[in-house]
Amino acid sequence: MEIITKNKVVKATLGSILSLAIMSLTPAIAAASEANLKIPNLSQGQNNLLLWGIVVCVLGMLFGLYQFMKVKGIRAHKSMLDVADTIYETCKTYLIQQGKLLCILFVFIGFCIAFYFGFLQKMSLSGVLLILGWTVLGILGSYSVAWYGIRMNTLANSRTAFVSLEKKPLKLLNIALDAGMSIGVVLVCVELIMMLIILLFVPRELAGASFIGFAVGESLGASALRIAGGIFTKIADIGSDLMKIVFGIKEDDPRNPGVIADCTGDNAGDSVGPTADGFETYGVTGVALVTFIVLAVQPNLTGILLTWIFVMRILMIITSVASFYINRALSQARFSGKDDFDFEQPLTSLVWITSIFSIVGTFAVSYYMLGPSSGVPAELQNLWLVLSIIISCGTLGAALIPEFTKIFTSPNSKHVAEVVKASREGGPSLNILSGLVAGNFSSFWIGMVFILLMFIAYYASGFGLSEIMIYPSIFAFGLVAFGMLGMGPVTIAVDSYGPVTDNAQSIYELSLIETIPKIKEHIQKEFNFKPDFDKAKHYLEANDGAGNTFKATAKPVLIGTAVVGATTMIFSLILVIKDVLGVQPEEILTLLNPYTIFGLLAGGCVIYWFTGASTQAVSTGAYRAVEYIKKNIQLDENASQKAATEKSKEVVKICTQYAQQGMFNIFIAIFSFTLAFSCLSAPIASKDSVALFIAYLISIAVFGLFQAVFMANAGGCWDNAKKVVEVDLQEKGTNLHEATVVGDTVGDPFKDTSSVALNPIIKFTTLFGLLAMEIAISESFRNIAPYAGAIFLLIGLIFVWRSFYGMRIPTKE
């Protein structure tokens, strides 16, 4: 926080944000405004059904607690437990710093909410406090699951490292997967129970505003944690990795002060960020569908469809846990007793079992709730099959997308083999070029998957949905995004698998367990098995490769939900334009309108600036980290072989400093651009200008999707190419290894900083943009909106300038 508070422009910036925030709550009382959503009263039967959903959520949380205690109860050697505790303590320090920053951001948002509802809408104090409370709960939801994620992972990492000595690879896999399932199920249950409480117990006149407050809160928390975590982890990772080339030291050498920071970063970027991001993803996608149903569906059917949507969300908890146990039994039958197997196989089978089980459950429960014998109105009884097909497109996509991702990122893929082959002959240059090829091809094929799934959903929406709602294709796209989350606990579980396996490998080296006198005898006496150190290192490296692959597979799924779901959120904006300006959107949303082209170009500009700015923060921070490590690393024979705690803390401090500065610049610029382009869309001379902001949001989503997939999969390909050289080829310390390390350091900010942060950026821009556009076109503000837009555009450009020139590597005379 020090680097932010000392900055010369902070006071002016915060003042601008405050005025911006007040403006964002200037009256925009359109009939379609999300702030005025009127959630319908549910029947007694619907209430009872959803109350059982709360019971399922509580049972799911107990399952997560059981998995937590199960992992915690596994014994490990003290040397490894001590390292894990050190990592957890540094993670705590980082998260506390992020919590302070979130408190500052909430002050502005809280003021805005109180001003809008209390002053402009004359709402009672109790109502304002209720909405503020749900905003806080949204932030705390993202923040608390991040805490749970790092605690779970830092318990599992040391146990995984120690169990590797047993020569039982299945047990090794199960520990990391148990931890991942605990995080995945708890995350979804916490999010769902909060939304069910809003739906069931909050007064109808406040429920819609509470949903929006909750979504804004969790989106804010996830954006901050994802961006900062992505910057932090890659500063540390690059700083640590480059020492292998500079000094020729081994992976995770305890003498390298960057290793502890790297382990902390694995959790900051690959645990804190994804869990907060996942929490937000499920919440915002749910709110988008709730919004659509309330605004676009026949009033007599809204309660039924809302209940159906939430039952589908409850169902995914049941199917995910059941699939987890089915897969555990199958893995036991296939791999028990084997001393080696491909760690990707049981993870792949878990994803497919869950997908199939979820699809079957979707059809069965939809038939029961909406089918011919369900008692619902006749116009819905024929739609159970259509709705099931549409939502199943997303569920199938959540399994198909990982398969297409593995083609480009798995250690077994031809693209990864191509990177290795190119690196052997052409060094770092051809390594980087071949990785870029893999990323580009992956964007093409995964884009084609999205087109196929969305076309099927669009086609299915033509069979009767138009009779009960307007814009049925938009609802279909939202259901596809919703279906991608239908196996949410498992998607999060395989994503969380990665930081555990990554940390486990580091903990093994940092513990120096092989150098402890009479360690073999001690382990045999204390833990009743004979350790195999060579096999353990092989298991940990191979398992880390599987973790890399499945970290990569989860990213396009979460990014895809942001893009596909954004179409549903933009629907509300379309309704605002219709109601306030009295124009049909299709009359102005055309490529013949120059403002549409301007908006598409502006969105593309922002996406490419964002990926550059986030990478710049990593580049400058890594420069500082490398500079410090090179000056302070002790490699002489008389130096201690243990990790230097104080030096490690200094590297963590550098990472935190640049993560927060980079995130601050990026967040203010994104915030300002959203207001700028919405205000510049205000219709003064012509109503054609409103197309500018809608095109801007569409461009952010589309450019963001392909840029994110390209960067994530190129990075994953480089990462596992290095892993192939280390594990399969056993060529550490060679020129080939150095070439793949260079490629991996290029891929680090690609896959774990820029690409992953685009998911919350897309959702935040769209969610906040809906309200921003309401301001711009409201009759009381539209005449001065262009002038305000120019001011906000200038603020955004200042922070674009700061994101590079304020953070560039200093040149020495």
Side-chain angles (χ1 to χ4, degrees):
M1 295 299 297
E2 183 180 354
I3 194 165
I4 295 175
T5 55
K6 287 183 178 181
N7 199 291
K8 294 181 180 179
V9 301
V10 166
K11 289 185 178 180
T13 301
L14 295 182
S16 299
I17 297 170
L18 186 59
S19 60
L20 175 154
I22 295 174
M23 266 186 44
S24 71
L25 297 170
T26 304
I29 320 296
S33 170
E34 285 192 298
N36 295 301
L37 289 177
K38 301 300 181 185
I39 306 299
N41 290 308
L42 303 181
S43 69
Q44 187 61 47
Q46 291 165 347
N47 278 321
N48 291 338
L49 188 59
L50 295 180
L51 285 172
W52 278 108
I54 293 179
V55 173
V56 171
C57 291
V58 172
L59 292 175
M61 294 171 71
L62 291 175
F63 165 82
L65 178 62
Y66 167 75
Q67 294 293 99
F68 180 92
M69 299 306 297
K70 182 180 176 181
V71 171
K72 187 177 180 180
I74 298 171
R75 299 176 64 206
H77 193 269
K78 186 177 185 300
S79 63
M80 293 182 172
L81 295 175
D82 288 345
V83 176
D85 286 341
T86 301
I87 294 170
Y88 177 59
E89 289 302 317
T90 54
C91 287
K92 282 170 59 178
T93 302
Y94 164 76
L95 258 183
I96 289 169
Q97 286 294 99
Q98 291 304 100
K100 293 176 182 177
L101 187 58
L102 283 173
C103 288
I104 293 173
L105 295 176
F106 171 70
V107 169
F108 298 104
I109 289 178
F111 177 83
C112 295
I113 291 172
F115 180 80
Y116 177 66
F117 289 104
F119 182 73
L120 296 178
Q121 297 238 330
K122 309 299 182 184
M123 186 179 287
S124 66
L125 177 62
S126 60
V128 173
L129 291 176
L130 180 66
I131 298 167
L132 282 172
W134 281 110
T135 306
V136 172
L137 285 174
I139 297 173
L140 289 179
S142 294
Y143 190 61
S144 62
V145 295
W147 270 101
Y148 184 79
I150 63 164
R151 177 70 282 196
M152 183 75 263
N153 285 342
T154 51
L155 287 174
N157 55 16
S158 55
R159 276 78 176 172
T160 302
F162 186 69
V163 165
S164 67
L165 296 167
E166 286 192 51
K167 291 184 66 175
K168 294 181 179 178
L170 184 60
K171 186 175 181 180
L172 188 74
L173 176 136
N174 285 338
I175 293 173
L177 199 51
D178 284 345
M181 279 300 295
S182 176
I183 296 169
V185 173
V186 167
L187 179 154
V188 172
C189 288
V190 169
E191 184 274 328
L192 182 52
I193 202 168
M194 287 181 172
M195 293 193 70
L196 283 170
I197 289 172
I198 296 176
L199 184 63
L200 293 174
F201 301 114
V202 173
R204 299 299 85 184
E205 66 275 10
L206 297 174
S210 297
F211 272 126
I212 300 304
F214 179 67
V216 169
E218 59 184 350
S219 184
L220 171 66
S223 297
L225 293 173
R226 189 56 133 159
I227 296 170
I231 295 171
F232 183 108
T233 183
K234 293 305 109 178
I235 293 173
D237 200 354
I238 293 172
S240 177
D241 278 355
L242 287 180
M243 294 307 103
K244 293 186 289 187
I245 297 176
V246 174
F247 296 109
I249 58 179
K250 64 181 179 179
E251 181 98 17
D252 300 320
D253 192 310
R255 298 170 297 176
N256 181 356
V259 173
I260 290 291
D262 186 19
C263 293
T264 303
D266 288 337
N267 288 285
D270 294 335
S271 178
V272 170
T275 48
D277 190 4
F279 184 85
E280 177 224 17
T281 296
Y282 295 110
V284 173
T285 305
V287 169
L289 280 175
V290 168
T291 301
F292 185 97
I293 291 171
V294 171
L295 296 178
V297 176
Q298 292 179 13
N300 63 315
L301 303 178
T302 55
I304 299 170
L305 283 180
L306 283 176
T307 305
W308 174 74
I309 285 291
F310 277 90
V311 169
M312 291 296 105
R313 294 170 73 87
I314 296 162
L315 180 66
M316 73 180 179
I317 299 171
I318 300 170
T319 56
S320 294
V321 173
S323 299
F324 169 71
Y325 282 114
I326 293 171
N327 187 67
R328 174 66 60 90
L330 291 175
S331 297
Q332 189 71 25
R334 294 173 64 193
F335 305 117
S336 181
K338 291 186 177 182
D339 65 355
D340 210 352
F341 62 86
D342 184 352
F343 286 104
E344 288 189 13
Q345 291 182 13
L347 296 173
T348 299
S349 64
L350 173 60
V351 170
W352 277 104
I353 289 170
T354 309
S355 180
I356 294 169
F357 197 13
S358 297
I359 289 172
V360 171
T362 295
F363 279 87
V365 174
S366 296
Y367 179 82
Y368 172 77
M369 291 187 64
L370 306 176
S373 59
S374 62
V376 301
E379 56 265 40
L380 265 183
Q381 292 181 14
N382 296 325
L383 296 177
W384 73 270
L385 183 60
V386 172
L387 294 173
S388 298
I389 290 171
I390 294 172
I391 201 171
S392 295
C393 285
T395 309
L396 180 62
L400 278 177
I401 292 168
E403 291 300 317
F404 276 82
T405 302
K406 284 192 290 183
I407 292 172
F408 303 95
T409 61
S410 170
N412 305 316
S413 80
K414 291 182 179 179
H415 282 276
V416 170
E418 178 77 7
V419 172
V420 174
K421 187 187 301 182
S423 304
R424 189 180 295 279
E425 296 300 327
S429 176
L430 291 187
N431 172 283
I432 292 170
L433 289 175
S434 54
L436 293 175
V437 169
N440 281 301
F441 270 94
S442 72
S443 289
F444 172 80
W445 286 112
I446 290 178
M448 295 299 289
V449 172
F450 278 112
I451 291 171
L452 176 63
L453 295 173
M454 293 178 71
F455 178 78
I456 294 172
Y458 161 72
Y459 185 76
S461 70
F463 290 87
L465 286 186
S466 59
E467 297 176 6
I468 66 167
M469 65 179 67
I470 57 175
Y471 298 103
S473 61
I474 302 297
F475 183 59
F477 294 155
L479 277 185
V480 171
F482 187 82
M484 287 182 185
L485 306 175
M487 43 192 285
V490 167
T491 301
I492 298 297
V494 297
D495 190 28
S496 298
Y497 187 92
V500 173
T501 58
D502 201 350
N503 264 195
Q505 192 176 8
S506 301
I507 284 174
Y508 183 92
E509 298 292 346
L510 289 167
S511 69
L512 297 172
I513 194 167
E514 294 182 51
T515 66
I516 298 174
K518 297 183 178 180
I519 185 62
K520 287 187 177 181
E521 293 81 0
H522 173 71
I523 290 176
Q524 192 155 13
K525 179 181 178 181
E526 184 73 18
F527 298 95
N528 299 316
F529 69 87
K530 184 178 180 180
D532 187 329
F533 296 114
D534 291 333
K535 200 69 174 175
K537 286 183 280 191
H538 168 74
Y539 288 147
L540 290 172
E541 289 178 328
N543 204 17
D544 187 30
N548 288 338
T549 300
F550 277 86
K551 279 192 295 184
T553 63
K555 292 167 187 172
V557 175
L558 292 177
I559 293 164
T561 61
V563 176
V564 179
T567 59
T568 308
M569 286 188 265
I570 292 172
F571 160 80
S572 296
L573 182 54
I574 292 173
L575 285 189
V576 170
I577 292 172
K578 286 181 64 176
D579 292 345
V580 176
L581 301 180
V583 297
Q584 293 298 320
E586 54 268 26
E587 295 177 4
I588 56 174
L589 294 180
T590 168
L591 290 178
L592 299 178
N593 182 348
Y595 287 97
T596 301
I597 304 297
F598 297 151
L600 294 175
L601 291 172
C605 290
V606 169
I607 289 296
Y608 279 90
W609 156 76
F610 169 79
T611 53
S614 52
T615 303
Q616 174 66 19
V618 172
S619 178
T620 306
Y623 170 86
R624 292 296 189 191
V626 168
E627 182 182 47
Y628 176 84
I629 295 169
K630 287 168 69 175
K631 289 180 179 178
N632 292 275
I633 193 169
Q634 295 293 327
L635 298 176
D636 58 86
E637 294 180 359
N638 298 323
S640 172
Q641 297 297 303
K642 293 185 178 180
T645 304
E646 291 306 314
K647 293 177 182 177
S648 298
K649 287 181 178 179
E650 188 62 31
V651 179
V652 171
K653 182 180 178 181
I654 292 170
C655 296
T656 304
Q657 174 184 347
Y658 282 93
Q660 291 196 326
Q661 184 181 11
M663 189 275 289
F664 185 77
N665 288 335
I666 289 168
F667 190 84
I668 300 303
I670 290 290
F671 205 62
S672 299
F673 282 139
T674 304
L675 265 294
F677 289 114
S678 60
C679 288
L680 291 173
S681 298
I684 301 295
S686 168
K687 293 179 180 179
D688 289 349
S689 60
V690 296
L692 172 68
F693 190 61
I694 297 172
Y696 173 78
L697 294 181
I698 293 170
S699 181
I700 287 281
V702 175
F703 274 93
L705 169 67
F706 288 102
Q707 180 77 335
V709 172
F710 156 68
M711 299 185 81
N713 290 340
C717 188
W718 280 315
D719 198 351
N720 271 341
K722 182 189 74 170
K723 193 62 62 179
V724 167
V725 172
E726 294 173 343
V727 179
D728 297 341
L729 302 181
Q730 296 289 309
E731 293 191 41
K732 286 186 177 181
T734 64
N735 290 335
L736 173 62
H737 186 225
E738 287 189 5
T740 58
V741 170
V742 171
D744 183 38
T745 57
V746 175
D748 278 337
F750 268 49
K751 66 184 174 65
D752 290 326
T753 305
S754 299
S755 63
V756 293
L758 280 168
N759 177 29
I761 287 298
I762 291 169
K763 291 200 292 289
F764 178 82
T765 300
T766 307
L767 188 65
F768 180 71
L770 298 180
L771 187 57
M773 190 60 177
E774 291 182 39
I775 305 157
I777 64 175
S778 62
E779 188 173 356
S780 60
F781 185 72
R782 92 180 48 146
N783 290 330
I784 62 171
Y787 304 102
I791 294 172
F792 295 131
L793 182 60
L794 178 61
I795 293 172
L797 291 175
I798 289 172
F799 278 89
V800 167
W801 185 91
R802 281 169 44 85
S803 68
F804 176 73
Y805 291 98
M807 297 192 68
R808 60 182 172 175
I809 298 172
T811 55
K812 297 180 180 179
E813 293 293 336

